[in-house]
């Protein structure tokens, strides 16, 4: 074995072969403190022993490779390796000491007493009802729906006509089952096809509070109204006269009674409904004018109507199973008893900011000449999904 190799050459070869440990390698990341770190004195001694064994290993490697004498420069290389090795030992001991020190918990910021954490609406209502003497129930699958009529007035002539949707606000959740209403000017009574908001009278309530969590919408039907005098002149219509004067629901993508332009030729989509979705926004509105104090009103913009998912699902249990919903900000409460609530009377508003014009072709209903309708009724349903809090009404209701 040649003795012409320097100590540096030998150390390089022995480090690569694993005979010696290079003191210049990067330190490993310190491990998290655990039960094995409790004996700190033993750990420190082991680190010192590791450094001493490294120095001894360097000398053994030189002897093994026949190096009996070293130059001044080689002695400096050995000294440099020893210094680096003990410097590493010092870093390791410092890391061990840092791990064994108890970690102080980070101080939690003190929240102001009037701060409401996000998504805390259900807890606040739960605490409010818990403080009452009367028993109450909480329904997770709460669901309310309401329909609004958007009249589309027809203008023009028998050759060139168009439907006009006036800009303005169209209100939902403002009537309950059994109350009076109109369909295209025809007197009617609100049924569950229009809404599931029920109360025996305007002064009797279930004293329910409903936390709104998400909303959906869907088209709810069409009606059409022609001039009654013109309809009377057409023979053979029979029961269809009631349909043509706005007294019944109508689905007619064939264009027999309704202008054919309302429906897409291939998909059958209601284009009037799509036009409103593209042009309107939805608001929530609370009116405290009837609560006995000063009249106040609060209106909150929720979103553009096109962002509210269109769905045929009517119950929250099916909605939560995968149907799309639009989540709304936490804390919006719908109460059926605004006289006793700090929230006030709730309603939802579809706001159409600009007039909409929808061209149509008048239809020959059997008279031999085209006839344009006076108006078409577009009906839109908005559904509120959430959690209902209400008084316990009997032993058959699960608490």
């Amino acid at each position: 074995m040649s003795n012409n190799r320097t100590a540096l050459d030998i150390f390089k070869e022995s480090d690569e072969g694993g005979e010696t440990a290079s003191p210049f390698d990067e330190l490993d990341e310190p491990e998290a403190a655990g039960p094995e770190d409790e004996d700190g004195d033993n750990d420190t001694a082991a680190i010192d022993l590791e450094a001493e064994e490294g120095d001894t290993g360097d000398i053994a490697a030189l002897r093994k490779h026949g190096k009996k004498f070293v130059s001044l420069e080689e002695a400096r290389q050995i000294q440099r390796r020893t210094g680096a090795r003990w410097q590493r030992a010092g870093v390791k001991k410092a890391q061990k000491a840092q791990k064994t020190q108890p970690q102080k918990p980070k101080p939690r910021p003190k929240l102001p007493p009037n701060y409401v954490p996000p998504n805390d609406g259900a807890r606040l209502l739960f605490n409010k009802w818990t403080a009452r003497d009367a028993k109450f129930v909480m329904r997770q699958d709460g669901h309310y729906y309401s329909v609004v009529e958007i009249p589309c007035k027809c203008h023009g002539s028998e050759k060139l006509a168009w439907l006009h949707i006036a800009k303005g606000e169209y209100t939902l959740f403002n009537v309950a089952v059994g109350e009076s209403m109109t369909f295209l000017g025809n007197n009617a009574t609100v049924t569950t096809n229009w809404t599931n908001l029920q109360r025996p009278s305007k002064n009797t309530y279930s004293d329910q509070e409903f936390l709104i969590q998400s909303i959906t919408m869907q088209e709810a039907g069409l009606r059409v109204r022609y001039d009654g005098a013109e309809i009377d002149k057409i023979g053979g219509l029979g029961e269809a006269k009631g349909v043509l004067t706005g007294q019944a629901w109508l689905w007619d993508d064939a264009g027999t009674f309704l202008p054919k332009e309302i429906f897409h030729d291939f998909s059958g989509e209601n284009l009037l409904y799509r036009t409103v979705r593209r042009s309107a926004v939805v608001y929530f509105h609370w009116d405290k004018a009837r609560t006995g104090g000063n009249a106040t009103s609060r209106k909150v913009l929720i979103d553009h109507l096109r962002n509210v998912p269109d769905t045929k699902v009517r119950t929250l249990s099916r909605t939560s199973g995968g149907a799309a919903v639009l989540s709304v900000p936490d804390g919006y409460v719908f109460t059926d008893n605004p006289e006793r609530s700090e929230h006030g009377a709730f309603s939802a508003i579809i706001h159409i900011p600009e007039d909409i014009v929808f061209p149509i072709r008048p239809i020959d209903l059997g008279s031999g000449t085209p006839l344009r309708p006076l108006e078409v009724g577009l009906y839109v349903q908005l559904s509120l999904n959430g959690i209902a809090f209400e008084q316990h009404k009997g032993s058959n209701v699960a608490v």
Side-chain angles (χ1 to χ4, degrees):
M1 184 176 296
S2 174
N3 293 331
N4 293 330
R5 291 185 301 165
T6 66
L8 186 60
D9 294 332
I10 295 174
F11 289 146
K12 182 178 180 181
E13 180 180 333
S14 60
D15 286 346
E16 292 175 352
E19 296 180 30
T20 54
S22 173
F24 305 113
D25 295 336
E26 291 186 5
L27 284 172
D28 295 333
E29 290 292 330
E31 298 178 356
E36 69 276 7
D37 296 322
E38 293 177 358
D39 195 350
D41 293 338
N42 289 341
D43 286 342
T44 300
I47 292 172
D48 289 341
L49 180 61
E50 180 183 350
E52 290 177 1
E53 289 178 346
D55 290 342
T56 303
D58 285 355
I59 301 299
L62 293 175
R63 287 176 178 172
K64 179 180 178 181
H65 290 272
K67 190 73 173 176
K68 298 181 179 179
F69 302 97
V70 295
S71 66
L72 181 59
E73 182 59 32
E74 289 174 326
R76 288 176 179 171
Q77 292 294 337
I78 297 172
Q79 186 181 34
R80 182 168 173 264
R81 284 172 66 88
T82 299
R85 189 169 283 121
W86 285 94
Q87 185 178 10
R88 285 170 60 89
V91 172
K92 285 185 177 181
K93 286 190 280 187
Q95 290 177 345
K96 286 287 184 181
Q98 184 178 7
K99 283 197 306 179
T100 55
Q101 290 179 357
Q103 298 294 322
K104 295 182 179 179
K106 294 182 179 180
R108 299 181 62 183
K110 186 177 180 180
L111 300 177
N114 59 336
Y115 173 73
V116 178
N119 302 317
D120 212 31
R123 185 186 67 82
L124 292 177
L125 274 182
F126 182 82
N127 292 341
K128 176 182 176 181
W129 282 76
T130 301
R132 299 186 178 188
D133 294 333
K135 293 183 178 180
F136 70 96
V137 295
M138 179 175 132
R139 293 190 292 109
Q140 296 280 358
D141 59 346
H143 178 86
Y144 276 105
Y145 62 86
S146 179
V147 176
V148 64
E149 178 182 76
I150 301 178
C152 311
K153 303 286 186 179
C154 188
H155 300 276
S157 65
E158 311 309 326
K159 294 183 179 180
L160 177 64
W162 62 90
L163 297 177
H164 171 240
I165 302 177
K167 65 180 179 181
E169 295 184 344
Y170 300 86
T171 306
L172 303 104
F173 300 101
N174 58 334
V175 293
V177 173
E179 296 182 6
S180 299
M181 63 170 300
T182 60
F183 289 107
L184 296 184
N186 298 291
N187 293 328
T189 301
V190 178
T191 67
T192 52
N193 187 48
W194 190 263
T195 183
N196 63 343
L197 177 61
Q198 301 186 52
R199 54 179 182 257
S201 73
K202 292 185 178 180
N203 298 317
T204 305
Y205 304 88
S206 299
D207 200 22
Q208 181 190 91
E209 287 184 303
F210 182 81
L211 179 66
I212 305 169
Q213 295 180 310
S214 65
I215 60 176
T216 58
M217 68 175 296
Q218 66 184 76
E219 57 179 305
L222 290 164
R223 291 185 181 230
V224 64
R225 183 171 72 88
Y226 289 87
D227 187 336
E230 295 294 331
I231 295 298
D232 289 338
K233 298 176 184 179
I234 304 174
L237 290 177
E239 295 180 354
K241 287 186 176 181
V243 176
L244 296 173
T245 53
Q247 300 176 50
W249 299 104
L250 177 61
W251 181 267
D252 178 28
D253 60 349
T256 304
F257 293 154
L258 279 170
K260 190 173 179 60
E261 293 75 22
I262 291 177
F263 296 97
H264 191 279
D265 289 339
F266 301 106
S267 67
E269 180 186 7
N270 184 338
L271 299 181
L272 268 181
Y273 173 65
R274 185 173 74 176
T275 299
V276 170
R277 279 180 59 84
R278 293 290 181 182
S279 307
V281 294
V282 60
Y283 286 89
F284 285 170
H285 179 247
W286 290 266
D287 184 5
K288 299 178 69 174
R290 296 182 298 163
T291 57
N294 294 330
T296 58
S297 179
R298 181 167 71 112
K299 187 162 69 172
V300 178
L301 173 64
I302 299 302
D303 209 326
H304 203 290
L305 208 61
R306 64 171 169 257
N307 293 329
V308 181
D310 177 49
T311 177
K312 302 298 185 289
V313 177
R314 285 181 171 268
T315 64
L316 184 63
S317 58
R318 280 181 287 164
T319 300
S320 61
V325 297
L326 175 68
S327 298
V328 300
D330 184 59
Y332 293 160
V333 177
F334 169 23
T335 176
D336 72 342
N337 189 353
E339 297 289 345
R340 297 182 56 186
S341 171
E342 70 274 17
H343 303 287
F346 172 86
S347 61
I349 296 170
I350 293 178
H351 177 230
I352 301 177
E354 297 178 282
D355 290 345
I356 300 173
V357 174
F358 191 94
I360 62 168
R361 291 187 180 93
I363 302 172
D364 182 358
L365 299 175
S367 64
T369 59
L371 184 66
R372 64 178 178 85
L374 296 179
E375 60 182 333
V376 173
L378 171 65
Y379 299 87
V380 177
Q381 174 179 309
L382 186 70
S383 300
L384 312 176
N385 308 309
I387 303 174
F389 294 79
E390 60 186 22
Q391 289 186 3
H392 183 267
K393 295 182 176 62
S395 58
N396 61 329
V397 180
V399 178

